[in-house]
């Protein structure tokens, strides 16, 4: 399989097992939602592995010591609406102090380009680390536009986290934002003629919220 300099595939056995159940067309909406939450939490452990640290002095019950805590402003989690919402709670459960922003995107039917309709993040973005969430990285158009929107507001440290990615989306992200690391639970084979990831897991938003 082709490797990409901007891609990290998190292939922990628990992630692989849960992703297999997630892909199954017979998995219920309730179970699908639970699995997205669980996989997101497991992935977040690896996605945050290289967050910056600083040394502080703390007092244990026995003595003072030098110890490490996260540096800078609180981590900010930003789901791309709507499917990205399904990943938020899993990440925040691991890091309860994380702030949560939101980016809304829809695809223009004529230009086929993503259009931003909602944007809300905490203040001082230049001092924060952002994790952008979306279960699917297909063409990469919405993900790239969301990163562009974050950078336009001053963000400089952005990671993108998804469940399944297509090679086309990974390539688009590397072309548009080579500084943004993409974390995925799986790199799938390809996009089909309709832009669906193959083998994929269907439409994540529809399966999360019971819509068509």
């Amino acid at each position: 399989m082709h490797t990409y300099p901007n891609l990290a595939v998190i292939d922990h056995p628990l992630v692989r097992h849960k992703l297999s159940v997630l892909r199954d067309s017979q998995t219920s909406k309730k179970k699908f939602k639970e699995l997205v939450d669980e996989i997101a939490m497991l992935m977040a452990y690896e996605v945050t592995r290289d967050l910056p640290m600083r040394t502080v002095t703390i007092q244990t019950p026995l003595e003072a010591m030098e110890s490490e805590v996260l540096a800078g402003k609180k981590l900010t989690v930003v789901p791309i609406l709507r499917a990205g919402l399904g990943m938020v709670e899993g990440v925040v459960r691991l890091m309860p102090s994380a702030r949560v922003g939101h980016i809304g995107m829809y695809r223009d039917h004529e230009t086929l380009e993503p259009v931003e309709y909602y944007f809300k993040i905490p203040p001082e973005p230049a001092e924060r680390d952002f994790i952008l969430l979306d279960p699917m990285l297909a063409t990469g158009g919405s993900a790239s536009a969301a990163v562009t929107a974050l950078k336009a507001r001053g963000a400089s440290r952005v990671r993108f986290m998804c469940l399944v990615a297509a090679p086309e989306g990974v390539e688009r992200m590397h072309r548009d934002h080579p500084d943004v690391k993409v974390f995925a639970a799986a790199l799938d084979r390809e996009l089909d003629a309709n832009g669906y990831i193959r083998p994929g897991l269907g439409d994540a938003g529809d399966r999360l919220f019971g819509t068509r």
Side-chain angles (χ1 to χ4, degrees), residues 88-135:
V88 173
E89 288 304 315
V91 178
V92 173
R93 190 177 303 113
L94 189 68
M95 296 168 287
S97 63
R99 303 286 184 92
V100 179
H102 297 86
I103 297 179
M105 296 275 179
Y106 72 89
R107 187 176 300 277
D108 186 280
H109 291 298
E110 294 184 2
T111 66
L112 301 181
E113 291 298 315
V115 178
E116 177 188 317
Y117 68 87
Y118 185 81
F119 187 96
K120 186 76 171 179
I121 60 172
E124 301 179 301
E127 299 181 25
R128 300 182 182 277
D129 286 87
F130 289 87
I131 302 178
L132 194 60
L133 305 177
D134 198 339

Side-chain angles (χ1 to χ4, degrees), residues 12-152:
H12 188 282
L14 288 176
V15 172
R16 287 157 56 190
H17 169 79
K18 291 176 184 293
L19 184 61
S20 294
V21 182
L22 191 76
R23 291 184 189 272
D24 193 328
S25 63
Q26 300 304 307
T27 297
S28 69
K29 181 178 77 71
K30 178 179 181 294
K31 186 63 175 177
F32 189 92
K33 187 174 183 178
E34 292 170 352
L35 286 164
V36 169
D37 178 271
E38 291 166 5
I39 295 170
M41 184 175 67
L42 291 169
M43 291 183 66
Y45 181 81
E46 288 297 329
V47 173
T48 57
R49 179 175 289 277
D50 63 347
L51 287 178
M53 306 290 291
R54 64 185 177 90
T55 302
V56 297
T57 301
I58 64 170
Q59 181 70 44
T60 78
L62 300 177
E63 62 181 81
M65 66 168 289
E66 299 294 301
S67 191
E68 290 186 306
V69 297
L70 291 173
K73 294 286 184 180
K74 291 184 174 69
L75 185 72
T76 301
V77 179
V78 183
I80 299 177
L81 304 179
R82 64 182 169 142
L85 290 171
M87 303 173 69
V88 173
E89 288 304 315
V91 178
V92 173
R93 190 177 303 113
L94 189 68
M95 296 168 287
S97 63
R99 303 286 184 92
V100 179
H102 297 86
I103 297 179
M105 296 275 179
Y106 72 89
R107 187 176 300 277
D108 186 280
H109 291 298
E110 294 184 2
T111 66
L112 301 181
E113 291 298 315
V115 178
E116 177 188 317
Y117 68 87
Y118 185 81
F119 187 96
K120 186 76 171 179
I121 60 172
E124 301 179 301
E127 299 181 25
R128 300 182 182 277
D129 286 87
F130 289 87
I131 302 178
L132 194 60
L133 305 177
D134 198 339
M136 319 289 289
L137 179 60
T139 66
S142 294
S144 176
V147 173
T148 298
L150 283 171
K151 289 181 175 180

Side-chain angles (χ1 to χ4, degrees), residues 118-194:
Y118 185 81
F119 187 96
K120 186 76 171 179
I121 60 172
E124 301 179 301
E127 299 181 25
R128 300 182 182 277
D129 286 87
F130 289 87
I131 302 178
L132 194 60
L133 305 177
D134 198 339
M136 319 289 289
L137 179 60
T139 66
S142 294
S144 176
V147 173
T148 298
L150 283 171
K151 289 181 175 180
R153 271 76 166 194
S156 59
R157 299 187 300 277
V158 182
R159 306 148 202 253
F160 181 81
M161 178 175 152
C162 63
L163 303 183
V164 296
E168 294 88 342
V170 177
E171 290 167 0
R172 170 73 180 269
M173 286 290 282
H174 186 250
R175 184 167 64 250
D176 294 352
H177 301 287
D179 58 314
V180 174
K181 190 80 172 181
V182 174
F183 295 86
L187 177 64
D188 279 11
R189 186 178 68 248
E190 62 186 357
L191 289 180
D192 65 17
N194 296 313

